[in-house]
Amino acid sequence: GHIVRNWKVRWFVLLQDKLLYYKTEGGKKESSPKGRILLDGCTITCPCLEYENRPLLIKLKTKTNTDYFLECCSREERDSWALDITGAIHAGHPVQVQELHRMKNSFKLLDNISLHHIVERMCDSGTGIKLTRNLGQGNRYKETFTGSALVDWLISNRFAVSRFEAITLASMLLEENFTMAVGARSIEATRYSDPSEQFLDDSTALYMFAESSKKHISPKEELQFNISELSGTIVKQGFLVKQGHKRKNWKVRRFVLRADPAFLHYYDPTKEENRPVGGFSLRGCLVSALEDNGVPAGVKGNVQGNLFKIITKNDIHYYIQASSKAERAQWIEAIKPLT
């Protein structure tokens, strides 16, 4: 928002020379858009790193120096929107548009490849990336691979068609904590603010699998949800922003509140499977609004306000942001009778 610096869900429509946004999905029942961004003379920044813990931003600066910050629900969605908006901005330059379409058509990650799938292939004992012993900063690492080896592997396995695309993929694996830098050279590179410079396509830069991606979880250890807890009557559902427990970043989640039995589950809106990524019983929970003046203890990052907290009977704290005070109040009123 330009006046109140909060974040609101809007339905965007990209035209040849402008970006329109509506209050409701599809713009139904609205005689005119809520606003418009003229693309003539615009500059686009993606990824935009001006907001801490909001890595999925696109920044548009109009020729009148007005800044627009747009947050997407996933990295794939962000990159797809950025590519199409850039194409609209450069519509008067056929050569640039042709190059954008070539990149879009050749880079298949956005359509059918997930980072999880790439890591699974990397870990394959037969066709995966070769792990070797290496020295880095005086330490000996047992299972590492070099930056250039990963780039070569991504290209040879057809996850990328050029070294530029492979470096982009490798940077995403690093940023999403599937891999980690080891040794002085690669660790130093991770301190760059520009994500494109954090991964090194070099035979002396060392990397290894992060513990989270190395751990093979058995079916019994996977997050299981009892059928009974998902069979309750749906009382309320909608999109909210939740703080993660480990990385303390904020992500959009679709929350579903059920009664009989009383549970609150949340789903990843970027995944097609209708399976919760988390949830908990509301029995014995405490729910309360958090004041907007100051950041409460336990909350990290750039908080936009409209916060509320749920504490489970096992003393697990969930921090959630609504898009408005009214929406926050509605969720709290709906949850309280079920605790």
Side-chain angles (χ1 to χ4, degrees), residues 9 39 47-48 64 66 113 120 159 172 212 217 223 267 274 302:
V9 176
L39 298 177
C48 171
T64 58
T66 301
I113 298 296
E120 287 178 3
F159 288 113
M172 292 166 67
S212 59
I217 302 174
L223 191 61
Y267 300 73
N274 191 29
N302 192 352

Side-chain angles (χ1 to χ4, degrees), residues 207-224:
Y207 300 90
M208 64 190 303
F209 290 111
E211 288 300 315
S212 59
S213 61
K214 285 177 64 181
K215 182 180 179 183
H216 294 284
I217 302 174
S218 67
K220 290 183 180 180
E221 293 176 316
E222 287 183 346
L223 191 61
Q224 296 291 332

